[in-house]
């Protein structure tokens, strides 16, 4: 636990874990089990207990973010880059809002944006240079797992019903958040939502190296992600139409 309070800025070389290596795969297996268990549990609960579980997960997300802030402060490592302006950090507060006020548009946004963003972070962690026994590793894995679990269990449980016609509205919300992040980046010289440069460990590095500019990644990844997220909706619609014909 010698490096428990270190960050990617302070950790010496050689203490991290390889992406999709043993440590990473174990984390993914454990968190995948947690997410699947959350979905199964949610589907079995009545409306009242579902509400309690939604609010519990929202509280856990807020507590996880607070845990990060406290550890950064104790270690003297709270930099501007750790302000909650990255997409997944913002989504913590979006989920907290949704847990107490489940607005349809917010639910669609959580499905189309929050799930793939958090899943991508789990698959390509920017915190992989840190050791297993580090607060940021524990925070980053658990918070992103909760960000996947919350909207996924609500979607499969039928409380979030995303439709294709609501994709533009979700993208509009994403664009608005991007404008806020860009303004903060320009004011504070940060890289929230990876709008200023390709962060090591993210897929944007590939686009920077292969195609010459990381921003190309947004024009490739966003349509690709939306196409993937549309597949379950199309399959569900097709199944419903078949059932109506019987």
């Amino acid at each position: 636990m010698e490096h428990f309070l270190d960050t990617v800025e302070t950790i010496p070389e050689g203490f991290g874990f390889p992406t999709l290596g043993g440590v990473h795969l174990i984390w993914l297996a454990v968190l995948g089990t947690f997410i699947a268990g959350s979905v199964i549990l949610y589907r079995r609960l009545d409306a009242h207990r579902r509400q309690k579980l939604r609010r519990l997960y929202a509280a856990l997300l807020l507590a996880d973010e607070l845990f990060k802030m406290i550890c950064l402060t104790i270690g003297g490592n709270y930099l501007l880059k750790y302000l909650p302006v990255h997409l997944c950090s913002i989504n913590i507060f979006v989920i907290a809002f949704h847990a107490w006020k489940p607005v349809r548009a917010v639910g669609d946004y959580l499905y189309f944006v929050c799930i793939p963003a958090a899943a991508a972070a789990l698959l390509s962690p920017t915190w992989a240079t840190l050791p297993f026994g580090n607060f940021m590793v524990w925070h980053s894995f658990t918070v992103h797992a909760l960000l996947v679990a919350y909207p996924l269990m609500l979607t499969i449980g039928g409380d979030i019903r995303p439709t294709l016609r609501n994709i533009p509205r979700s993208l509009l919300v994403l664009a608005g958040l991007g404008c806020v992040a860009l303004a903060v980046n320009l004011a504070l010289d940060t890289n929230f939502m990876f709008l200023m440069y390709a962060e090591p460990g993210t897929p944007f590095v590939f686009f920077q190296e292969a195609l010459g500019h990381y921003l190309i990644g947004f024009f490739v990844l966003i349509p690709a992600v939306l196409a993937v997220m549309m597949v379950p909706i199309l399959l569900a619609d097709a199944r419903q139409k078949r059932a109506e014909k019987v």
Side-chain angles (χ1 to χ4, degrees):
M1 302 294 284
E2 177 185 358
H3 296 287
F4 179 75
L5 291 175
D6 270 311
T7 64
V8 294
E9 292 81 24
T10 65
I11 191 73
E13 291 187 8
F15 284 90
F17 55 89
T19 299
L20 298 182
V23 172
H24 189 194
L25 291 176
I26 290 173
W27 268 109
L28 292 179
V30 172
L31 296 176
T33 302
F34 165 75
I35 293 168
S38 298
V39 170
I40 294 170
L41 174 63
Y42 192 82
R43 292 189 66 185
R44 294 178 177 177
L45 297 179
D46 59 29
H48 179 66
R49 290 179 178 175
R50 283 187 174 193
Q51 182 187 68
K52 284 188 174 182
L53 189 61
R54 290 195 300 270
R55 293 180 177 178
L56 171 62
Y57 276 35
L60 288 174
L61 280 164
L62 292 170
D64 212 330
E65 180 67 14
L66 180 61
F67 167 73
K68 180 195 79 173
M69 294 170 63
I70 291 173
C71 288
L72 286 169
T73 302
I74 292 174
N77 297 318
Y78 202 116
L79 306 176
L80 291 174
K81 64 176 290 185
Y82 291 111
L83 291 171
V85 189
H86 268 304
L87 182 60
C88 286
S89 297
I90 294 172
N91 287 340
I92 292 173
F93 301 99
V94 174
I95 284 177
F97 172 81
H98 185 270
W100 270 265
K101 192 173 181 60
V103 178
R104 174 68 180 268
V106 176
D108 287 341
Y109 166 83
L110 290 175
Y111 175 80
F112 286 115
V113 177
C114 184
I115 291 177
L122 288 172
L123 292 173
S124 57
T126 58
W127 56 91
T129 56
L130 296 167
F132 175 81
N134 178 272
F135 82 95
M136 188 60 80
V137 171
W138 286 82
H139 158 74
S140 298
F141 273 121
T142 56
V143 81
H144 286 97
L146 286 165
L147 287 170
V148 172
Y150 180 95
L152 187 62
M153 68 185 188
L154 268 68
T155 302
I156 296 178
D159 290 334
I160 289 178
R161 299 177 182 274
T163 60
L164 300 184
R165 68 174 179 271
N166 289 333
I167 290 178
R169 184 164 53 184
S170 297
L171 289 177
L172 186 62
V173 174
L174 178 61
L177 295 177
C179 290
V180 172
L182 179 60
V184 175
N185 289 336
L186 293 174
L188 302 180
D189 192 25
T190 49
N191 189 36
F192 294 121
M193 293 179 67
F194 312 121
L195 294 176
M196 308 307 288
Y197 57 86
E199 192 84 29
T202 66
F204 298 106
V205 174
F206 166 79
F207 293 97
Q208 179 72 50
E209 296 175 348
L211 301 176
H213 206 292
Y214 73 98
L215 287 177
I216 298 174
F218 286 99
F219 296 98
V220 174
L221 293 175
I222 291 177
V225 166
L226 289 177
V228 171
M229 299 305 290
M230 280 189 260
V231 171
I233 300 174
L234 294 173
L235 292 175
D237 289 345
R239 185 169 59 249
Q240 183 177 355
K241 290 179 180 179
R242 287 197 300 270
E244 292 174 351
K245 291 180 180 179
V246 175

